[in-house]
Amino acid sequence: MKKIIFSTIVILLISVSCSKDFVEIPPVGVLDASTFFNTEENAEQALIGLYDLMQYNYAKDWSSAYFVKMLPGDDVNCGGGSATDQVPLVEINDYVNLSVSNPAVTSVWNLHYRTIALANTIIENVELSELSNKAAVLAEAKFMRAWCYFELTTMWGDVPLRLVNPSELSSEAFAIPKSPRSEIYAQVEADLTEAINGLPTRGALAQDFRVSKASAQALMGKVLVFQEKYSEALNYLEPVISNPNYGLAATNEDVWSVDGEFGVESLLEIGFVATNAYDWGNVAWGGRMESNLHVQLMGPRGEFDIAPVGLLNGWGFNYPSAKLISAFEASGENARRSATIMTEQELVDAGGSVNSTDEDGNPVEIYGYDGAIRIKYATKDSDTSEGGIKELNYSVNWRLFRYAEVLFLAAEAYNKTGADDKAIIELNKVRLRAGLDALDNSLSGDALFEAMMQDKFLEFAHEGQRFWDLVRWGKASSELAGTGYTTKNDLFPIPITEIDLNAALTQDDQNPGY
């Protein structure tokens, strides 16, 4: 297993996101991008900066993009100490009171655009250069820009499409209108086409955390499936499926283990380390931590005695929902279930316990707890460092994109193009790994799609996939009935800071219902 501590190269970025900084404070202490990119080594360091920003966005305390994407889904409960503990996260989970000023939603928006701004700076300067690694640098930067715009249009729909950073610090230079989702998709496809042509194969990667040609092919396939361009998507998904450098991890547990990081199933993975020995005095609240604080955030609170199963107590967010627990119980005993959740009875049988009473013996609510804890991305004692405070030093990586998803995307595309026999082949690969029976070969059409939808619900529980799949499948209203969801929740609100400070936007540009 190889890990790396990211360090950002500071480059002059004009308008990293909508921020009042550009009208108040001139930039100081920054590097000049026009000369910085004169060497191959500096271009490589700038690329590492993209991964640093991705790490920051997907693990920023209380506003991780990984967790924010998860919260609207019916596989998770927000949890925490109460409904007033981290209200911005509760708002996302409960739908009804989601505000245009929600700081977690705003952070995810801003940090995606900050990553895009750095990608734009790299692309603009390297395109004008004569660097020997020019093609590879452009390919990697364009993959990251494509990833961020795909995430943005998935969560917000029509968004500003900024491909060139402003050349001056002014509100006029920053102003840019929204572009239709179709234009965002077109740009993502254009960037991924260049990424596919320029990225190395897995065996030639400079570091194991970096994206490969197969990563770009898989993402292109996903983007096309989201647009219901199923036949085109298969042209990109099939080469990844047949690529000998990728496949399913041997077991479901291997997918999430520290020892399995950057493994055969990984297409895009954000790395963390446990070597900084953070304690309560030097932990970087709101800043850039090299450990994964959200693992601690999402561990069961002190009401649980979980030491007998090798877990540490956390801060009580991200419990499995009753719906997910019931679906796993209906699936029977299998490897996927045991690698994802543990019911209260299973915890008790293993020597643990749940204390749901106060000191006087009166019953108390454990907010968000429906009868099971999460084992996927769990607070494992073995995943922390010996230095500092263990709870602040988890080294668990986020798997943002993995081979199993490629199989599901291909199965969906096969099903939608009438090749149900091929869809069953791909789905059965994942089911076999989970210890489940193969799907009946007689399944076809809508019945097969429903079986696929249920399998994907279980396979990708607590990975931020569920809600956005339900929306694009037109299933959100039926699957989320009674939760407070309405169709306005299909998109997040555009942050009010963006509308206030981007002169090309008005309240009329806000997403419907907000």
Side-chain angles (χ1 to χ4, degrees):
M1 178 185 65
K2 183 178 180 181
K3 298 261 193 170
I4 185 168
I5 296 179
F6 297 113
S7 61
T8 301
I9 296 295
V10 181
I11 297 174
L12 177 59
L13 295 180
I14 307 298
S15 180
V16 296
S17 63
C18 190
S19 168
K20 65 181 180 180
D21 292 349
F22 68 80
V23 295
E24 291 183 348
I25 306 171
V28 294
V30 296
L31 301 176
D32 185 350
S34 64
T35 59
F36 180 83
F37 290 97
N38 287 342
T39 69
E40 286 80 0
E41 292 78 11
N42 282 357
E44 283 287 306
Q45 287 298 307
L47 288 175
I48 301 302
L50 285 173
Y51 291 92
D52 176 63
L53 286 171
M54 288 279 285
Q55 183 196 64
Y56 184 37
N57 192 7
Y58 285 85
K60 186 175 183 291
D61 48 297
W62 313 115
S63 57
S64 157
Y66 195 89
F67 193 28
V68 167
K69 282 189 68 182
M70 204 185 301
L71 283 168
D74 55 357
D75 50 334
V76 307
N77 294 331
C78 180
S82 69
T84 58
D85 186 1
Q86 296 303 319
V87 171
L89 302 180
V90 175
E91 286 183 357
I92 300 168
N93 190 229
D94 289 351
Y95 306 113
V96 178
N97 297 314
L98 183 55
S99 165
V100 297
S101 58
N102 183 286
V105 170
T106 299
S107 175
V108 174
W109 169 282
N110 285 346
L111 286 171
H112 273 107
Y113 273 108
R114 187 178 300 181
T115 308
I116 288 167
L118 177 53
N120 287 344
T121 296
I122 294 170
I123 293 165
E124 180 180 0
N125 287 276
V126 172
E127 280 182 338
L128 300 174
S129 76
E130 297 181 0
L131 299 177
S132 61
N133 59 347
K134 176 177 179 177
V137 170
L138 290 174
E140 199 162 358
K142 289 187 176 183
F143 174 93
M144 287 302 182
R145 185 167 71 179
W147 176 274
C148 290
Y149 272 123
F150 181 50
E151 290 276 75
L152 285 166
T153 198
T154 298
M155 290 184 274
W156 281 276
D158 301 344
V159 298
L161 179 61
R162 189 184 302 281
L163 302 177
V164 178
N165 295 336
S167 57
E168 62 182 60
L169 294 173
S170 70
S171 58
E172 293 79 11
F174 179 83
I176 184 171
K178 293 197 303 183
S179 291
R181 179 179 270 174
S182 59
E183 291 184 15
I184 305 298
Y185 278 139
Q187 182 59 49
V188 168
E189 291 179 39
D191 278 349
L192 288 176
T193 297
E194 293 196 43
I196 290 167
N197 291 333
L199 284 171
T201 60
R202 184 169 203 165
L205 292 176
Q207 287 100 7
D208 52 12
F209 65 84
R210 296 173 75 167
V211 292
S212 68
K213 177 177 181 177
S215 305
Q217 290 172 314
L219 183 56
M220 179 74 94
K222 182 173 181 176
V223 170
L224 292 168
V225 167
F226 271 51
Q227 296 175 79
E228 301 183 356
K229 298 179 179 179
Y230 299 114
S231 295
E232 292 178 52
L234 288 167
N235 293 330
Y236 295 94
L237 297 171
E238 288 175 339
V240 181
I241 292 172
S242 62
N243 189 325
N245 292 314
Y246 296 90
L248 293 173
T251 70
N252 288 86
E253 188 175 0
D254 288 340
V255 178
W256 319 116
S257 70
V258 169
D259 290 340
E261 290 173 347
F262 301 118
V264 66
E265 194 160 334
S266 177
L267 288 160
L268 177 59
E269 187 167 327
I270 302 297
F272 299 92
V273 295
T275 55
N276 285 37
Y278 293 116
D279 58 35
W280 299 115
N282 64 13
V283 62
W285 297 116
R288 299 192 184 178
M289 291 183 59
E290 300 298 338
S291 64
N292 192 340
L293 188 64
H294 264 71
V295 172
Q296 171 67 12
L297 179 84
M298 301 190 304
R301 291 171 66 91
E303 296 93 342
F304 296 83
D305 177 12
I306 49 180
V309 293
L311 302 182
L312 300 175
N313 290 114
W315 299 335
F317 290 84
N318 193 15
Y319 289 117
S321 68
K323 182 175 182 177
L324 180 68
I325 297 166
S326 295
F328 266 120
E329 289 179 334
S331 75
E333 298 293 334
N334 58 74
R336 179 162 62 196
R337 171 182 166 169
S338 62
T340 309
I341 69 166
M342 177 180 289
T343 65
E344 183 169 322
Q345 187 59 56
E346 290 166 338
L347 175 61
V348 170
D349 291 344
S353 63
V354 181
N355 181 14
S356 55
T357 61
D358 62 20
E359 58 185 15
D360 296 322
N362 300 312
V364 295
E365 176 190 20
I366 301 175
Y367 186 71
Y369 176 65
D370 284 338
I373 61 172
R374 190 176 28 78
I375 299 301
K376 181 184 288 188
Y377 288 131
T379 44
K380 294 180 180 178
D381 192 359
S382 58
D383 292 345
T384 66
S385 68
E386 293 301 322
I389 303 297
K390 282 197 170 198
E391 292 86 343
L392 302 179
N393 290 281
Y394 286 102
S395 63
V396 181
N397 291 356
W398 288 149
R399 277 70 158 180
L400 297 188
F401 199 18
R402 56 190 181 94
Y403 182 85
E405 186 179 354
V406 174
L407 299 182
F408 274 94
L409 291 166
E412 181 178 346
Y414 284 133
N415 172 251
K416 295 298 185 180
T417 55
D420 289 329
D421 55 334
K422 293 183 178 180
I424 289 173
I425 289 172
E426 303 310 331
L427 293 174
N428 281 342
K429 292 176 183 177
V430 185
R431 290 178 64 84
L432 178 64
R433 198 253 302 271
L436 295 166
D437 293 336
L439 292 172
D440 193 318
N441 287 330
S442 67
L443 279 174
S444 63
D446 290 343
L448 177 57
F449 182 85
E450 291 294 324
M452 181 211 70
M453 187 173 77
Q454 186 68 4
D455 250 354
K456 194 172 187 184
F457 179 40
L458 301 180
E459 177 69 25
F460 291 95
H462 296 273
E463 293 186 52
Q465 300 273 9
R466 174 67 171 175
F467 178 77
W468 312 102
D469 277 342
L470 291 178
V471 169
R472 69 183 181 88
W473 289 333
K475 300 281 188 179
S477 293
S478 57
E479 292 290 323
L480 302 173
T483 63
Y485 161 86
T486 67
T487 55
K488 88 166 192 177
N489 301 114
D490 288 351
L491 299 173
F492 283 150
I494 295 174
I496 191 61
T497 51
E498 185 74 27
I499 292 177
D500 285 347
L501 296 172
N502 183 343
L505 299 181
T506 70
Q507 183 56 38
D508 291 340
D509 294 301
Q510 181 58 270
N511 283 329
Y514 292 104

